[in-house]
Amino acid sequence: GDRRPAGGAGGVPAPGSVGVTRRGLEAGDERWPPGLADLDQLGGPSGVRSLWVEGELPALPGVAVVGPREATVAGLEAARRIGADLGRRGVTVVSGFATGVDAAAHRGCLGAGGQTVAVLGCGLAVDYPRSHSGLRTEVSVRGALVSEYTAWDAPRAWHFPHRNRIIAALSRAVVVVEA
């Protein structure tokens, strides 16, 4: 089906009470993140034609910090410290919003006053993972949640490796913690 953004009301619920905006972006939009156009050159299903964004996209490219969902305590602390160090230096942290390393990197960056982008493997209207509701609000207020999926698209196993190409395209470097 057609997965292009359909304006403010086209399938994306009104923003929550935190006062953040949700909008659809298409390739060619002046706010289109740099790096995504490069995916089109790979051919096949790699290209991204539209994105849903909740919040405001910070300066990109950033640095991706990624790793396993079931990280060790040392891995979680390393991700938090890396996220915090990047955030203090004004570097946008990009990650996948999963439990484990991703969440630790987002939290570290936000805790240091930085901005972060969370690339979701589901639609913006889906509260996933549920344990991240508070983090989700913080990210959308001090950065952005991004998804190529329509509002109510549920998380599916193949969405997560597929969204990783967007994480990489939004980043000038990728830090892999404990994988």
Side-chain angles (χ1 to χ4, degrees):
D2 188 346
R3 295 183 344 181
R4 291 175 301 156
V12 176
S17 60
V18 294
V20 299
T21 60
R22 286 186 182 166
R23 74 174 112 357
L25 296 179
E26 293 186 356
D29 186 298
E30 65 184 25
R31 294 174 291 190
W32 191 249
L36 290 181
D38 295 340
L39 292 176
D40 285 336
Q41 296 175 11
L42 298 175
S46 298
V48 179
R49 299 205 178 6
S50 61
L51 285 178
W52 292 104
V53 179
E54 180 177 312
E56 296 297 326
L57 284 170
L60 292 167
V63 171
V65 181
V66 297
R69 287 173 172 82
E70 296 181 19
T72 65
V73 171
L76 295 173
E77 179 58 19
R80 187 201 61 74
R81 280 196 336 257
I82 292 166
D85 288 346
L86 291 166
R88 271 193 291 281
R89 289 170 172 75
V91 177
T92 300
V93 170
V94 181
S95 198
F97 204 65
T99 58
V101 165
D102 293 10
H106 289 303
R107 286 188 176 105
C109 180
L110 292 167
Q115 294 182 301
T116 187
V117 174
V119 183
L120 306 182
C122 59
L124 289 178
V126 179
D127 186 17
Y128 182 84
R130 289 191 192 276
S131 61
H132 288 14
S133 292
L135 178 59
R136 179 187 178 106
T137 299
E138 276 190 78
V139 169
S140 66
V141 169
R142 301 209 356 242
L145 296 145
V146 174
S147 178
E148 68 182 308
Y149 303 106
T150 58
W152 294 102
D153 280 349
R156 306 243 186 266
W158 64 271
H159 286 181
F160 296 94
H162 198 240
R163 62 104 202 262
N164 289 346
R165 76 197 197 293
I166 297 174
I167 294 171
L170 298 179
S171 305
R172 72 182 87 153
V174 178
V175 178
V176 181
V177 177
E178 228 179 41

